């Protein structure tokens, strides 16, 4: 009797489980820890799966350079990537723009510990500074370019994520580091309250949600419509809140021409 009941329960669970038409990977640039990213993005990908009838599987990597290598190989069906990543991987292997944050520009910041008495970037001369990764657009490339132009000598130390930068500064391992306002604002209050941004870059087109070139146009449009409409419902606003993004909007490849104009050449795709 117990065996029959177990079989029946298993059959019920099998029948009630969603049957997806296809499976697609959706990778997130590891600006933050994998656990934090999974918590932020899994509810969105669940809603996307239900909306399209296809399963979207959360992916990330332990560090940004590994994420870049996987993008270069075209390993992800969809990905959320920084502006410079999109410029590079739109060219090869050909990722296509789907969506971006609405009415928002990405801004890099230089952060110090509040009790450090550092108020100007010039005070960081001859110091070691924390950055997420060499090709982190707003958190590494832009601040470093400014420091170099200002003749501030510094040694970059790459610590794998934005979260790691903020934690390292709060713990006194580095006097300063690079980040972006969105990830800074998403930090737990007990960490954020110890830090102070002392410099901010100009704004650029923000991160891209992009589709692998093999994704057919119908599905790409479905995903584009989903993100464009996500903030139109209370449930959608709720799942967006942890990202510190109020809404997404449809995007086209040329939206990142402001980043292309910088002519950055840090990632080799071949």
């Amino acid at each position: 009797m117990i065996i029959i009941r177990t079989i029946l329960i298993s059959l019920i669970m099998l029948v009630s489980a969603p049957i997806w038409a296809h499976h697609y990977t959706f990778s997130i640039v590891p600006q933050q820890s994998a656990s934090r990213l999974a918590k932020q993005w899994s509810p969105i990908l669940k809603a996307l799966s239900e909306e399209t009838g296809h399963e979207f599987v959360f992916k990330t990597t332990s560090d940004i350079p590994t994420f870049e290598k996987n993008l270069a190989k075209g390993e992800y069906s969809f990905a959320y990537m920084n502006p410079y990543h999109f410029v590079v991987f739109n060219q090869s292997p050909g990722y296509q723009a789907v969506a971006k944050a609405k009415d928002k520009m990405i801004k890099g910041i230089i952060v110090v510990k509040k009790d450090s008495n550092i108020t100007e970037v010039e005070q960081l001369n001859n110091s070691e500074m924390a950055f997420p990764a060499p090709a982190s657009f707003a958190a590494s490339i832009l601040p470093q370019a400014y420091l170099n132009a200002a003749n501030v000598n510094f040694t970059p130390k790459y610590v794998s994520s934005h979260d790691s930068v903020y934690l390292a500064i709060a713990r006194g391992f580095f006097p300063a580091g690079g980040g972006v306002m969105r990830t800074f604002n998403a930090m737990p209050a007990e960490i954020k309250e110890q830090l102070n941004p002392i410099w901010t870059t100009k704004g650029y087109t923000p991160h891209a949600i992009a589709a692998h070139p093999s994704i057919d146009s119908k599905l790409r449009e479905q995903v584009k419509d989903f993100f464009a409409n996500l903030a139109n419902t209370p449930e959608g606003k709720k799942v967006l809140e942890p990202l510190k993004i109020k809404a997404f909007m449809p995007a086209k490849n040329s939206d990142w021409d402001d980043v292309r104009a910088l002519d950055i050449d840090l990632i080799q795709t071949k």
Side-chain angles (χ1 to χ4, degrees):
M1 190 69 179
I2 294 176
I3 295 174
I4 295 173
R5 185 181 303 162
T6 302
I7 293 172
L8 286 172
I9 291 172
S10 298
L11 287 172
I12 291 169
M13 291 178 66
L14 183 63
V15 171
S16 62
I19 299 175
W20 307 112
H22 298 285
H23 299 258
Y24 298 98
T25 54
F26 198 119
S27 188
I28 311 300
V29 59
Q31 293 175 306
Q32 299 164 287
S33 67
S35 59
R36 186 190 297 271
L37 292 175
K39 188 175 181 179
Q40 291 173 344
W41 283 90
S42 292
I44 295 174
L45 298 186
K46 180 182 178 185
L48 177 60
S49 298
E50 293 171 351
E51 176 74 17
T52 62
H54 305 296
E55 184 179 19
F56 288 82
V57 181
F58 169 83
K59 295 283 184 181
T60 191
T61 56
S62 59
D63 55 66
I64 294 173
T66 302
F67 175 77
E68 293 164 356
K69 290 176 183 177
N70 292 347
L71 280 175
K73 292 184 287 186
E75 290 193 3
Y76 306 126
S77 309
F78 291 83
Y80 178 70
M81 62 187 78
N82 80 37
Y84 176 56
H85 288 156
F86 179 73
V87 168
V88 172
F89 300 114
N90 169 236
Q91 183 176 8
S92 176
Y95 278 91
Q96 298 296 302
V98 172
K100 62 180 181 179
K102 185 178 182 180
D103 300 328
K104 193 177 183 73
M105 301 294 274
I106 189 170
K107 293 182 179 181
I109 53 178
I110 292 176
V111 179
V112 300
K113 199 169 183 181
K114 274 186 179 177
D115 61 9
S116 67
N117 296 318
I118 298 172
T119 58
E120 303 289 339
V121 294
E122 287 75 16
Q123 293 173 262
L124 298 170
N125 195 42
N126 298 320
S127 66
E128 290 188 342
M129 294 179 61
F131 297 96
S136 292
F137 177 65
S140 298
I141 295 172
L142 297 181
Q144 290 182 24
Y146 175 80
L147 291 166
N148 288 328
N151 295 316
V152 175
N153 295 315
F154 66 97
T155 302
K157 297 293 181 180
Y158 297 106
V159 295
S160 81
S161 72
H162 293 216
D163 282 6
S164 297
V165 170
Y166 305 136
L167 287 169
I169 298 167
R171 292 170 180 169
F173 299 149
F174 298 96
V180 301
M181 286 306 304
R182 185 186 71 80
T183 56
F184 177 74
N185 288 330
M187 286 298 288
E190 62 269 22
I191 302 299
K192 184 180 173 184
E193 289 168 358
Q194 299 181 55
L195 306 174
N196 184 40
I198 61 168
W199 177 82
T200 305
T201 71
K202 64 171 283 189
Y204 289 87
T205 304
H207 283 49
I209 293 175
H212 190 276
S214 66
I215 300 297
D216 68 76
S217 59
K218 180 181 177 181
L219 177 59
R220 196 164 66 238
E221 289 303 310
Q222 280 184 294
V223 175
K224 183 179 292 187
D225 290 344
F226 168 82
F227 279 100
N229 295 322
L230 192 56
N232 294 338
T233 66
E235 296 81 8
K237 290 179 180 178
K238 184 177 180 180
V239 298
L240 282 172
E241 202 282 328
L243 292 182
K244 301 302 177 184
I245 293 175
K246 292 183 178 179
F248 283 98
M249 63 180 291
K252 57 186 183 297
N253 294 343
S254 61
D255 289 342
W256 284 268
D257 282 351
D258 59 336
V259 181
R260 290 186 180 89
L262 297 174
D263 198 25
I264 303 164
D265 185 20
L266 290 176
I267 299 176
Q268 302 299 319
T269 60
K270 298 295 185 181

